[in-house]
Amino acid sequence: MAAAATPLESFNLIHPDDYARHGYPHEIWRRLRREDPVHWWDRTAGVPFWAITKHADIIEISKQPERFVNGKRLVIGHEPEQRPDPVFPPTLIEMDPPKHGIYRQLVSKRFTPRYLQRLHRDVERIAAEIVDALVEKSDSGECDFVREVAAPLPIAVIAWLLGVPKSDWNLLFDWTNRTIGSGDPEYQREGKTSQETAREAMTETFLYFSKLVEERKRKPEDDLITLFTQARVDGQPLPPMDVLAWCLIILIAGNETTRNATTGGMLAFIENPGELRRLQQSPALLPSAIEEVVRWTTPIIHFARTASEDYELRGKRIRAGDALALFYPSANRDEEIFDEPYRFRIDRDPNRHLGFGMGEHFCLGAHLARLELSVAYRHLLPRIEEVELAGPVQRLHSSLVGGVKHLPIRYKLRPSA
Ligand code: HEM
């Protein structure tokens, strides 16, 4: 591969359009890892930042949440930064210690493997319904894998966990698309900027959830909304806006990411049919295959940190107030950590990927995501006799979530066992 020939200017690391047009810039990240892993990126109308591309450096930074804070900014945009919107309170991932730990603890029990075992049957049922719906249509044909399979499952699971009635699941789909894909022409509101589009979607989400919150206060259920309404910090209930911020982060964080891991995994199986056959023949490989799908796809492109004090990293002087972008997909191809990083290998072991992040903010939903992915693939993959692309892959305009918006596939399914 002619990595050195790829000029850094050929791709803007935080421009949504470049990700939509070209997918992940693995050549550029490879160059940065090799030549300048802590790279000052100032070719932007937005805030300049340190591009962090090595696995070890992302760990070093993520493990120091007081030195590298989330509260100041969570993502780096390509437009000039606006002041934080005073209407929306910070969500969990925008909090810093010690508040972050206190808030996280309020719900962390609901996301442990042990608690999730209680959900297993329900997730299984939801996944089976989705795959059966596909099969009922026809045992061969064409479909948009995102719309038919990858998107409905995480929406359904999150909605069900939160306690949103089935009749409203489509609304959630629309709100997450417009919040995460606010810079995408398919979702951006006419005459509105990307920031205005996201704000409008968040306002609608807040209004919707405020009604459900009131209902749960009157009539508690065994769901997350009820848990948020009953939560106490220092003996006090959470401020109403914090309850809504909780609903928002669970909805937003759990949807696009899982959707894109499922879709990117399917694409990897299409491109590596040998690995699909291997998994069909050896279902015991599913857990390691799921980890490889998360490494391979790494749905979160970057999260930002801001230095709260001066710090030296690989000889570079990071100043207090500087922004940093942690490029997780780059860390997950780091040749110092991974053997043959550019090969999709379902039996990769060890697989110390950073797809779910690391340290203080390590993905709260990692076990849930693994459960969803494994249930979806367990229902679907054994049924696949043939699968291929039926059209171009359409990617999301986003430098936060590396998304495939539409994955047209042509398939032939076997009857269920
Ligand atoms: C394959 C699917 C998923 C991927 C790749 C993913 C990835 C990530 C990443 C990279 C982070 C930031 C970690 C860090 O800063 O170190 C994160 C945080 C988070 N994720 Fe996920 N996620 C996924 C699924 C989910 C699901 C299903 C939920 C369900 C609720 C969820 C909820 C969260 C929350 C609440 C946070 C913030 C945690 C905190 O700040 O303490 N995620 N996720």
Side-chain angles (χ1 to χ4, degrees), residues 147-168:
R147 191 158 269 280
E148 304 281 341
V149 181
L153 179 64
I155 289 273
V157 170
I158 291 290
W160 182 81
L161 274 177
L162 281 165
V164 174
K166 196 167 181 176
S167 50
D168 294 339

Side-chain angles (χ1 to χ4, degrees), residues 62 70 92-95 100 104 111 158 161 246 249-251 253-255 257-259 261 294 298-300 303 305 326 328 354-366 368-370 372-373:
S62 303
N70 282 27
L92 179 71
I93 196 164
E94 293 151 292
M95 291 176 185
H100 172 261
R104 182 164 167 134
F111 290 92
I158 291 290
L161 274 177
W246 259 120
I249 184 69
I250 297 295
L251 174 64
N255 268 322
T257 44
T258 316
R259 178 196 308 178
V294 177
T298 317
I300 296 284
F303 273 132
R305 298 290 189 268
L326 314 183
Y328 300 106
L354 298 182
F356 292 119
M358 160 65 57
E360 179 85 9
H361 293 277
F362 178 79
C363 177
L364 178 70
L368 179 60
R370 288 180 175 122
E372 289 183 48
L373 280 163

Side-chain angles (χ1 to χ4, degrees), residues 25-102:
H26 280 300
E27 288 294 296
I28 305 256
W29 282 327
R30 198 153 90 125
R31 251 195 87 175
L32 287 174
R33 283 197 304 275
R34 198 172 43 202
E35 295 171 20
D36 194 17
V38 180
H39 178 80
W40 183 241
W41 189 278
D42 55 4
R43 296 179 285 282
T44 165
V47 66
F49 61 93
W50 295 101
I52 309 294
T53 46
K54 291 284 288 178
H55 191 277
D57 296 347
I58 292 188
I59 293 180
E60 185 171 334
I61 291 164
S62 303
K63 284 194 164 172
Q64 303 184 71
E66 270 120 356
R67 272 206 181 114
F68 296 102
V69 297
N70 282 27
K72 188 99 167 78
R73 61 175 70 78
L74 182 62
V75 289
I76 293 174
H78 67 290
E79 294 162 342
E81 254 180 7
Q82 295 189 344
R83 283 163 176 273
D85 196 321
V87 173
F88 298 106
T91 61
L92 179 71
I93 196 164
E94 293 151 292
M95 291 176 185
D96 293 307
K99 187 174 176 184
H100 172 261
I102 297 167

